[in-house]
Amino acid sequence: MEGNKVRKIIKYRWVIFVVWVAAIVLSVVYSPDLNKVLRDKGQQFLSDDNPSVKADNILKKMNKTSGNADLIVFNSKNKLTSSDMDNIKAGVNVIKDNQKDLGVSDMLDPFNTPDIKSKLISQDEKTVMVSFRLNKNGREVSDIQNEFKNKLKDVHINYYLTGEDFINDDYIRVISSGVDKSAILTII
């Protein structure tokens, strides 16, 4: 009895193989874009009735400025010279002049807010931070990073963008990479 089943499988092996390949192709073509779901939903794993989510919603209602708190961090291996600081200040002013286009508000920097200078420049004077709120306005974080890169093209000091938006984007990229690898392994 089992010998007949094996013979049928061997006889129809190409048909079985074609059906199997077609099933894989269809599952890949019609599967949801999990990376898009991750980008759209982000890390919202808590329900709306969770106390942390409720508190966050109350804070958002109290704070009329939209967007997330982010930073531009300028740093050097050596102590920043006055020329370096002038270069950073010029870059900060370019960002200030283009706040609306970039979706930036509530900028705090050591050049235009001297009261907090000691909080935004490290003691060893190798790092300068600029705090701001970022409203993505439906843009992808990678596009925003490119816009900042374009505006800061004349700044010769190393800098990076960090904060909630940029860290979440990095997290989602890592997760997306894992999802892609899992999908490939599932197919194999």
Side-chain angles (χ1 to χ4, degrees):
M1 205 52 148
E2 287 185 29
N4 288 337
K5 289 180 183 178
V6 171
R7 284 189 195 116
K8 284 184 180 182
I9 290 173
I10 292 173
K11 183 177 179 183
Y12 296 109
R13 69 182 177 267
W14 293 111
V15 173
I16 294 169
F17 178 74
V18 168
V19 169
W20 183 72
V21 169
I24 290 173
V25 169
L26 290 173
S27 67
V28 168
V29 169
Y30 291 107
S31 67
D33 183 357
L34 295 178
N35 294 329
K36 184 177 184 324
V37 171
L38 279 172
R39 280 193 307 273
D40 292 345
K41 298 294 182 186
Q43 296 185 61
Q44 185 64 30
F45 299 115
L46 301 175
S47 66
D48 289 339
D49 62 342
N50 182 285
S52 296
V53 173
K54 286 180 180 179
D56 187 48
N57 289 337
I58 291 169
L59 286 174
K60 285 180 181 175
K61 287 177 186 174
M62 290 171 52
N63 186 358
K64 298 300 181 194
T65 306
S66 61
N68 294 320
D70 290 314
L71 295 169
I72 306 172
V73 180
F74 299 91
N75 80 356
S76 174
K77 292 179 184 177
N78 304 313
K79 182 178 175 179
L80 293 164
T81 65
S82 62
S83 174
D84 294 337
M85 293 299 254
D86 289 342
N87 187 237
I88 293 170
K89 182 178 181 179
V92 168
N93 287 334
V94 168
I95 298 298
K96 258 193 182 318
D97 293 343
N98 293 280
Q99 284 187 77
K100 189 173 182 180
D101 295 338
L102 292 168
V104 169
S105 63
D106 297 344
M107 272 186 76
L108 295 174
D109 66 85
F111 310 108
N112 298 303
T113 319
D115 296 345
I116 58 172
K117 185 175 184 175
S118 64
K119 305 281 188 223
L120 297 176
I121 298 178
S122 65
Q123 287 182 345
D124 61 6
E125 296 182 15
K126 294 180 180 180
T127 305
V128 174
M129 293 187 304
V130 175
S131 172
F132 62 95
R133 294 191 76 71
L134 178 66
N135 188 338
K136 294 191 292 185
N137 297 324
R139 301 171 296 169
E140 293 291 327
V141 173
S142 58
D143 294 335
I144 294 168
Q145 287 174 317
N146 288 334
E147 290 173 27
F148 271 90
K149 185 177 180 179
N150 184 39
K151 299 297 182 197
L152 295 172
K153 67 181 178 261
D154 294 329
V155 175
H156 305 294
I157 306 301
N158 291 330
Y159 69 90
Y160 57 93
L161 300 165
T162 188
E164 186 176 347
D165 293 309
F166 302 100
I167 291 170
N168 283 344
D169 186 61
D170 287 343
Y171 175 78
I172 289 170
R173 286 177 197 255
V174 169
I175 296 296
S176 296
S177 172
V179 167
D180 291 343
K181 289 176 186 174
S182 295
I184 290 170
L185 289 175
T186 300
I187 291 172
I188 293 174

